[in-house]
Amino acid sequence: MSTESTESTNAPNFIRNQIRGEIESGQADTIVTRFPPEPNGFLHVGHAKSICLNFGLAEQFGGRCHLRFDDTNPAKEEQAYIDAIKDDIHWLGFEWSGKVRFASDYFDQLYAWARHLVEQGKAYVDDLSPEEIREYRGTLTEPGRPSPYRDRSNDENLDLLERMKNGEYAEGEKVLRARIDMASGNINLRDPILYRIRHASHHQTGDKWKIYPSYDFTHGQSDAIEGITHSICTLEFEDHRPLYDWFLDNLPVPCKPRQIEFARLNLNYTLTSKRKLKLLVDEGIVDGWDDPRMPTISGMRRRGYTPAAIRKFCEMIGVTRADGLVDIAMLYHAIRSDLEDNAPRAMCVLKPLKVVLTNVEEGHEEVYEVPGHPAREDMPVRKVPLTRELWIDADDFMEAPPKKFFRLAPGKEVRLRNSYVIRCDEVIKEDNGEIRELRCSIDFDTLGKNPEGRKVKGVIHWVSADRGVPVEVRLYDNLFQVEAPSKEADADFLAHLNPDSLITVQGIAEPSLADAAPESRYQFERVGYFCADRHASRDGHLVFNRTVGLKDGWARIQKNEQGQKKG
């Protein structure tokens, strides 16, 4: 399947254009990309962009894309994260080439290459503490200083490295470092760490290893082992590229992948720091990694986003080298566009107000067959019953309405969606003045036609009080109140949480929703798009999560911009 859509093929994608040029000129034949997540958390919307890019390029150009877990830090990694990441990729509609790969598959080879660097005098065992290593490394304006252990002999370094591997030293007691250039203007080249001692069991290798390679030492060589042709990374790895090239130039690797960097996705009102997202989970601020307020792929899935919409969004924003803040309204637009075409309709009242139809007999019921979707004949019709007592939304009634309020008011008429015109004749209140119910009457001559001699502008949704289905509705909004929560310091970003990011109401839905399957999506007419919660919607307890409202701010922005260009 192609990642391109007819709407967004003009979105910039310099990597796609570059690879197309390489293939057309004969510089490249088969391309091999990879998606290399660290299994230390769930994937978020920024990872979705990388997934769509790497897998999409492989699909478009007839190549392959590997899934490889860069699992070099067992202290922070879990099998649960591995399983969730695989599930996310499949849910988005992609399939990796061959087996699932792990950097740990290459630990033996990486260790052999580390020994090779020691034998060549290009790596050494250092006894400095982590704090001393940072001090000796220097700053952006001052060069580093060589470690006093930098000139150990190759034989001594080989012996110490083997003893590190055998678990003879405590964590932090020694490290293996590359011997490159402590005066380099690129701090990454100032004798970077290749191996650390970690007495931790690994989810793939068990207790075999007492030392683990650094991410920087692992990443490029793993690409080389797998025959990756295009190693696509975000811009923060640009300064690491000279180090990766140094490793590839100084080791007998089978090939030299080409690294290309692109700008990561920065979405306003959205946090994409995995460490801060984990803090939200650990502190119980959200209900797990798949909380619908989280920007994780599993959270977006639970909220009701569709794979097609996420892929469309990633295509819309394009791939460039320019950092910028993407308006979340673009994401909402992509979701609405997909759900507008594909979500069946239903009626659900979120703020129930009872209506009694006084000229309808007790026990009366008439059932309307209503299209499941106004433009989709392939969707089954739904049966909507009308009874003497109904629920309408409290917001659709006002005792003293303003001039342009076209909904229900005392003495005023409104049409029940797909049914009759009704008139409010009486307002019944509690002793404290709260409205208990409305007494209304039906004009039985208005089913499917306008009333004689008068115009009724308002149409409201409703649900039978006798046949309606109780539902819990969770109204989700942005988790943060500031545009760029990732820029806030650790001590400050929690202060910008949106206290109204989740509001739960008890609503009444039409009976067609009684059998809603988990993750089924609907447009609640006049309200928004909702999804049956994948966890809670069971045992007769229906929970719907609001995916997005009906108003499309991004479409309005685009329309205004087009109008300005024409003007």
Side-chain angles (χ1 to χ4, degrees), residues 275-400:
R275 179 175 53 80
K276 291 180 179 179
L277 291 176
K278 188 174 187 301
L279 178 64
L280 294 175
V281 174
D282 292 344
E283 294 295 320
I285 295 169
V286 295
D287 182 25
W289 285 96
D290 68 345
D291 186 301
R293 293 167 292 179
M294 291 281 274
T296 55
I297 295 174
S298 57
M300 293 189 290
R301 174 180 179 176
R302 188 174 170 193
R303 186 160 171 171
Y305 291 16
T306 64
I310 294 174
R311 290 172 65 140
K312 178 181 178 180
F313 168 68
C314 291
E315 183 68 25
M316 286 170 61
I317 60 177
V319 179
T320 70
R321 285 181 55 82
D323 267 325
L325 196 61
V326 175
D327 193 336
I328 199 170
M330 282 185 72
L331 176 59
Y332 293 158
H333 168 72
I335 302 300
R336 283 192 194 92
S337 296
D338 187 39
L339 295 178
E340 169 65 26
D341 293 338
N342 298 301
R345 278 30 175 182
M347 291 190 291
C348 182
V349 174
L350 302 189
K351 298 171 67 175
L353 172 62
K354 180 168 282 190
V355 168
V356 178
L357 302 175
T358 56
N359 59 340
V360 172
E361 295 181 358
E362 294 279 356
H364 173 87
E365 178 177 300
E366 56 186 276
V367 180
Y368 310 116
E369 288 195 347
V370 180
H373 189 289
R376 294 278 298 274
E377 294 183 359
D378 59 318
M379 288 190 182
V381 298
R382 60 191 213 269
K383 294 184 178 181
V384 179
L386 175 77
T387 55
R388 174 180 167 85
E389 294 187 354
L390 310 175
W391 296 109
I392 69 169
D393 197 290
D395 289 340
D396 284 334
F397 174 79
M398 290 186 71
E399 280 194 278

Side-chain angles (χ1 to χ4, degrees), residues 87-99:
D87 191 40
D88 287 344
I89 294 170
H90 277 144
W91 180 76
L92 282 173
F94 295 108
E95 183 59 61
W96 49 85
S97 176
K99 66 176 184 178

Side-chain angles (χ1 to χ4, degrees), residues 245-547:
D245 288 343
W246 186 90
F247 289 138
L248 297 177
D249 289 340
N250 286 278
L251 290 170
V253 294
C255 73
K256 295 183 178 180
R258 179 180 179 188
Q259 180 169 310
I260 306 172
E261 302 89 10
F262 69 98
R264 64 182 297 169
L265 171 59
N266 297 304
L267 194 64
N268 61 1
Y269 299 101
T270 304
L271 190 70
T272 54
S273 162
K274 195 184 293 185
R275 179 175 53 80
K276 291 180 179 179
L277 291 176
K278 188 174 187 301
L279 178 64
L280 294 175
V281 174
D282 292 344
E283 294 295 320
I285 295 169
V286 295
D287 182 25
W289 285 96
D290 68 345
D291 186 301
R293 293 167 292 179
M294 291 281 274
T296 55
I297 295 174
S298 57
M300 293 189 290
R301 174 180 179 176
R302 188 174 170 193
R303 186 160 171 171
Y305 291 16
T306 64
I310 294 174
R311 290 172 65 140
K312 178 181 178 180
F313 168 68
C314 291
E315 183 68 25
M316 286 170 61
I317 60 177
V319 179
T320 70
R321 285 181 55 82
D323 267 325
L325 196 61
V326 175
D327 193 336
I328 199 170
M330 282 185 72
L331 176 59
Y332 293 158
H333 168 72
I335 302 300
R336 283 192 194 92
S337 296
D338 187 39
L339 295 178
E340 169 65 26
D341 293 338
N342 298 301
R345 278 30 175 182
M347 291 190 291
C348 182
V349 174
L350 302 189
K351 298 171 67 175
L353 172 62
K354 180 168 282 190
V355 168
V356 178
L357 302 175
T358 56
N359 59 340
V360 172
E361 295 181 358
E362 294 279 356
H364 173 87
E365 178 177 300
E366 56 186 276
V367 180
Y368 310 116
E369 288 195 347
V370 180
H373 189 289
R376 294 278 298 274
E377 294 183 359
D378 59 318
M379 288 190 182
V381 298
R382 60 191 213 269
K383 294 184 178 181
V384 179
L386 175 77
T387 55
R388 174 180 167 85
E389 294 187 354
L390 310 175
W391 296 109
I392 69 169
D393 197 290
D395 289 340
D396 284 334
F397 174 79
M398 290 186 71
E399 280 194 278
K403 186 175 181 180
K404 293 188 177 182
F405 184 79
F406 298 123
R407 287 166 277 175
L408 199 58
K412 301 295 184 181
E413 292 184 307
V414 73
R415 180 176 292 280
L416 299 176
R417 197 170 193 87
N418 302 305
S419 184
Y420 301 101
V421 169
I422 65 170
R423 183 185 66 239
C424 179
D425 301 316
E426 185 180 2
V427 180
I428 308 299
K429 296 184 178 181
E430 303 285 1
D431 293 340
N432 61 5
E434 289 187 9
I435 298 174
R436 185 175 71 208
E437 65 183 46
L438 306 177
R439 300 287 176 91
C440 300
S441 55
I442 279 181
D443 183 343
F444 285 102
D445 196 33
T446 57
L447 185 61
K449 59 182 180 180
N450 292 323
E452 292 287 341
R454 59 197 192 277
K455 184 179 291 186
V456 176
K457 293 184 178 181
V459 179
I460 64 173
H461 60 287
W462 55 278
V463 173
S464 163
D466 296 332
R467 300 286 304 280
V469 179
V471 294
E472 178 180 312
V473 182
R474 298 170 181 171
L475 304 175
Y476 289 102
D477 202 348
N478 295 333
L479 187 57
F480 289 93
Q481 296 176 308
V482 294
E483 272 207 306
S486 287
K487 292 184 178 179
E488 302 293 330
D490 286 4
D492 300 328
F493 85 101
L494 293 178
H496 299 288
L497 287 166
N498 177 8
D500 297 322
S501 63
L502 170 59
I503 297 174
T504 300
V505 300
Q506 303 303 316
I508 308 292
E510 67 175 62
S512 68
L513 292 179
D515 298 321
E519 295 193 17
S520 54
R521 306 171 185 90
Y522 298 87
Q523 183 196 97
F524 289 175
E525 298 187 69
R526 301 181 64 241
V527 179
Y529 294 99
F530 293 79
C531 176
D533 189 85
R534 63 188 300 195
H535 299 320
S537 295
R538 57 180 180 268
D539 301 328
H541 180 57
L542 281 173
V543 176
F544 285 90
N545 301 324
R546 182 171 64 186
T547 306

